[in-house]
Amino acid sequence: MKVCVIGTGYVGLVTGAVFADLGNDVICVDNNKEKVEKLKKGIMPIYEPGLEEMVRHNYEDKRISFTGDLGDAVRKSDVIFIAVGTPPAADGSTDLSFVEAVAKEIAAHIDKYKIIVNKSTVPPGTGEFVRNVIEKNKRHQVDFDVVSNPEFLKEGSAIRDSYNPDRVVIGAPSQNIAMALVELYAPLEAPMLITDVASAEMIKYASNAFLATKISFINAVANICERIGADVGLVAKGMGSDKRIGKEFLMAGLGYGGSCFPKDTLSLIHTSQKFGEDFHILHSVVKTNEERTPRFISRIKETIGSVKGKKFGVLGLAFKPDTDDMRDAKSVEVINELHKEGAKFAVYDPISMDNAKSMIPKDVEYMENASEVAKGADALIIMTEWKEFQGLNLEEIKAAMKRPLILDVRNIYTLDRMERLGFEYVSIGRRPLVSKN
Ligand code: UGA
């Protein structure tokens, strides 16, 4: 099938690469010329495991190409995916200006029947909006259909998720129209759900909001665990063993970050209000999430007193492992807040240090590995659960530190082990191991 994907961000680039890998002719369009030129040379704008290899080999085999010429790409394609950014506006609603601009450009170039697919995360009703924009601006009397096909991939496992989706959701005006996408996804042998457009749009928002709710729920449980001496990891395991609850997305921490949950929860609240409904639960989900970092900072101060002049080592900066994405990363909040009060920082992240530089203070020191970060530190903060941090030589780390104190927001070590090694250890939803003096 001849496919064009507009937007080469996480969703667009991964979608394009996977469709090419499945044997389709894919044109990826971006209005950022530099990005297009780099992609042609095999340089990826983002880090995502397996992506570079997949793009390179499909580019060499001429199944994927990159261009800034949207008109040409539209004319050559049967199915056009819109995968541009949908950032939050100041009032929590979703800024659809990129989607609108693309819809206008498609309208200017559409010359025969095409299917336009919304893959960007957009509020319910956007399918109708895109349809109207194209209808109003099209230059030829041609027919077209707008379909919603939300993406459920996670950063850090985007290729794996795209190849093994739990479900493919296709929201189309009719079964017939949906069949073009069914054909495109058929090689994945994944369960497919065909719905109307509005339901597909709602599935995406409701799914992200529900997952965010699970995270805020376990974080609220973690707060109580800290008070009563319970272990939130065991509580989550016990809860998650009930199939109706499920094991995933019950990891306590500093709350959800990244480019999706924070904006999508706010957007669903906004959409509800727009239709005269109040999504009470979601207000609490957002509030619980916002309270996570201030609470952690208070715990740091309870443990070490004034942070002025104290040296903190930070392991992990990205909002989650296997990505270099720093959008809404909790590390930024923690570092900036403690820095304001006079704390000093040495940090290490396997791949996101370059992206972090413009977001955290200039005097932060960037190190090559965890041992360097630990040298002379009053405390080590574990912010991201990169695999390599689990395998650290903790005896060596302890010997290098000024005070053997680890503040771990991802609970990557067991209390037994930390007790045995003689660390002071403050984690989330578990009893703290702290010296009394
Ligand atoms: C999320 C969804 O998981 C994807 O299904 C969806 O497609 C994507 O948003 C999107 O809408 O584009 P993503 O933001 O890449 O994916 O990452 P997640 O793995 O969901 O993590 C989001 C945040 O929640 C991270 O800060 C993570 O650390 C946090 N989290 C996740 C927890 O604190 N606890 C958990 O148990 C799981």
Side-chain angles (χ1 to χ4, degrees), residues 1 24 32 50 112 153 202 265 326 346 352 380 399 408 411:
M1 208 174 283
N24 299 288
N32 181 333
K112 57 178 189 295
L153 62 80
M202 196 62 201
T265 41
M326 287 295 300
S352 68
L380 201 58
D408 176 7
N411 292 3

Side-chain angles (χ1 to χ4, degrees), residues 151-153 155 204 208 249-251 257 260 320 410:
E151 182 50 64
F152 299 102
L153 62 80
E155 289 184 21
K204 172 66 189 181
N208 273 9
F249 280 68
L250 287 177
M251 189 163 98
C260 306
K320 61 184 260 185
R410 302 277 52 178

Side-chain angles (χ1 to χ4, degrees), residues 132-199:
N132 291 338
V133 173
I134 300 179
E135 196 62 62
K136 220 168 28 190
N137 293 281
K138 67 183 187 188
R139 298 201 184 139
H140 301 280
Q141 273 320 305
V142 287
D143 206 6
F144 66 93
D145 281 297
V146 178
V147 170
S148 165
N149 170 224
E151 182 50 64
F152 299 102
L153 62 80
K154 299 184 292 299
E155 289 184 21
S157 56
I159 302 279
R160 198 176 60 227
D161 292 345
S162 301
Y163 260 95
N164 306 286
D166 288 344
R167 75 303 205 188
V168 173
V169 175
I170 302 167
S174 76
Q175 192 90 5
N176 244 355
I177 298 161
M179 288 323 282
L181 289 213
V182 168
E183 197 185 313
L184 201 53
Y185 282 106
L188 296 181
E189 294 176 7
M192 294 200 210
L193 180 64
I194 298 176
T195 68
D196 56 280
V197 176
S199 299

Side-chain angles (χ1 to χ4, degrees), residues 363-403:
D363 60 359
V364 167
E365 290 182 82
Y366 295 88
M367 303 308 202
E368 302 261 301
N369 53 50
S371 310
E372 281 183 22
V373 165
K375 256 184 222 156
D378 290 288
L380 201 58
I381 308 179
I382 297 174
M383 285 300 313
T384 318
E385 65 278 28
W386 284 96
K387 257 208 187 100
E388 65 177 78
F389 300 151
Q390 269 155 30
L392 291 180
N393 181 338
L394 290 177
E395 275 101 345
E396 203 180 287
I397 295 280
K398 187 177 169 219
M401 293 177 73
K402 192 164 156 200
R403 175 176 173 179

